[in-house]
Amino acid sequence: MSMLDLRRMMLLRDLADFGTVTAVAERRNITSSAVSQQLRVLEQETGAILFRRDGRTLGLTRSGRVLVEHARVVLGAMDDAMSALAAERDQISGQVAVASYNLGIPAFAAPLVHRLSTDKPHLQIRLQQADAGDALRLLRQNEVDVAIIYRCDFEAQDMLSGLTQEALLVEPFALLVPTRLHPRVRSRGLAALADLPWVTGLVDSSLDIALLRAAERAGFTPRIMHRLVTAQIVCDLAATGVVPAIVPRLSVPPHLEHLIVEGVPVGHRTVSAVVRTRRRADPNIAHILRTLRVIGAQALGEPQLSVAS
């Protein structure tokens, strides 16, 4: 039997975790046919029958389940090896790849890079932008070491098999309203804005759903006039004083904070750092998580914390 390919073993593990080739393809950002082809090659490499077909469903045989359990051991051992090698170094050093959603870059990733450049100059961050789904895919594929993601209060939690998630910040959504309307909103709540046009994100984006859910709770359907791509641009249009908006609190720049109506809850989202569970022992990863916790604690003006070495 030839040497088994680790990437194919990862696909096999994903099939066991997610249940269908389609789900594996979505997680890995490749086509279903590519997943099926790689799994067939794995079957040829092992010389064993790993799968059985039931209509469109591809299930695991007993041999397939046995190989999955060994694949988990092998892939976990790779992370253990990386962590053990890092622990042997006499200083925190090396390179760690981080994927972050767009607003997570100025809020978390950029401060992380800045702090490490002073505190741990031998530890370098390789940063790339990715939404939550892509960031978790990259993490599972061992292409990044840390994923900074968010989940809104109305979103289902991703399956995090083999991953560990650590909450960094519960970030409220902010209601931006022309200042002349603040007394009306404080008196009557969100329903006071039922007759106004709104600005929000694209259809089915988190901004769009946050607005629709908040308005539904207040008893009206918002009249959406403008749809823009990012929260920062939504803030720019809200700054004209013509339309209200609901955006993540950290997207509101200081010069627009006067538009926020306090005391009107419109939902929240949780920002988290996710790592492969067996890399948490890596001193580099552990230090980055500690630093991100500090950044999260300070993000909304909470008391300063220090980072333990």
Side-chain angles (χ1 to χ4, degrees):
M1 184 173 67
S2 60
M3 182 71 69
L4 298 182
D5 184 273
L6 287 176
R7 289 187 178 273
R8 294 185 189 115
M9 293 178 70
M10 291 171 68
L11 292 177
L12 180 69
R13 179 197 59 187
D14 288 349
L15 181 63
D17 289 342
F18 302 126
T20 68
V21 169
T22 299
V24 174
E26 290 174 352
R27 292 292 179 180
R28 295 293 178 184
N29 199 31
I30 57 178
T31 65
S32 295
S33 60
V35 173
S36 297
Q37 190 271 336
Q38 290 298 308
L39 291 175
R40 284 195 296 269
V41 172
L42 180 62
E43 199 167 46
Q44 293 169 3
E45 289 177 337
T46 62
I49 299 174
L50 304 177
F51 317 103
R52 62 176 181 275
R53 286 198 174 275
D54 182 8
R56 295 186 176 182
T57 301
L58 189 65
L60 295 176
T61 63
R62 177 179 173 80
S63 295
R65 291 193 296 272
V66 168
L67 186 56
V68 165
E69 293 311 309
H70 285 280
R72 294 189 195 282
V73 172
V74 171
L75 295 169
M78 290 177 61
D79 279 339
D80 288 345
M82 294 296 294
S83 297
L85 287 173
E88 287 297 311
R89 293 191 291 265
D90 59 1
Q91 62 179 358
I92 293 177
S93 62
Q95 185 178 91
V96 174
V98 177
S100 173
Y101 68 100
N102 59 343
L103 280 176
I105 293 176
F108 288 90
L112 174 67
V113 171
H114 176 71
R115 287 170 183 261
L116 294 181
S117 68
T118 301
D119 300 338
K120 302 293 179 184
H122 298 291
L123 179 58
Q124 296 183 331
I125 299 298
R126 178 168 58 84
L127 177 64
Q128 67 183 95
Q129 184 174 327
D131 63 23
D134 286 341
L136 292 177
R137 173 180 57 82
L138 293 169
L139 188 62
R140 289 188 175 100
Q141 290 177 324
N142 290 40
E143 294 182 24
V144 300
D145 305 297
V146 181
I148 302 173
I149 67 171
Y150 71 83
R151 278 287 174 268
C152 298
D153 55 355
F154 49 79
E155 292 180 307
Q157 176 64 54
D158 261 321
M159 182 187 296
L160 297 177
S161 174
L163 306 179
T164 296
Q165 177 173 290
E166 183 166 332
L168 303 175
L169 173 71
V170 177
E171 177 188 12
F173 282 100
L175 174 61
L176 303 185
V177 178
T179 54
R180 68 183 185 281
L181 299 177
H182 283 204
R184 187 202 302 183
V185 177
R186 292 193 185 98
S187 173
R188 296 169 47 197
L190 196 64
L193 305 173
D195 58 338
L196 293 182
W198 287 77
V199 57
T200 190
L202 302 181
V203 174
D204 291 333
S205 66
S206 60
L207 293 182
D208 180 42
I209 297 172
L211 170 59
L212 293 176
R213 288 173 62 90
E216 181 181 17
R217 289 193 299 269
F220 71 96
T221 300
R223 180 162 58 92
I224 298 173
M225 181 71 70
H226 313 284
R227 290 191 180 276
L228 305 174
V229 175
T230 68
Q232 297 97 322
I233 300 176
V234 170
C235 288
D236 290 338
L237 192 56
T240 63
V242 176
V243 288
I246 290 176
V247 295
R249 177 63 183 83
L250 291 180
S251 71
V252 183
H255 70 278
L256 296 183
E257 290 180 349
H258 66 283
L259 296 177
I260 298 175
V261 182
E262 303 288 357
V264 180
V266 287
H268 66 273
R269 65 185 191 177
T270 301
V271 180
S272 301
V274 186
V275 300
R276 293 188 297 281
T277 299
R278 296 174 76 162
R279 288 297 304 279
R280 292 190 71 192
D282 184 324
N284 291 344
I285 302 295
H287 186 80
I288 285 172
L289 290 176
R290 287 195 296 269
T291 304
L292 287 172
R293 286 196 297 269
V294 172
I295 293 169
Q298 297 171 357
L300 295 176
E302 296 182 17
Q304 297 275 322
L305 300 175
S306 60
V307 182
S309 298

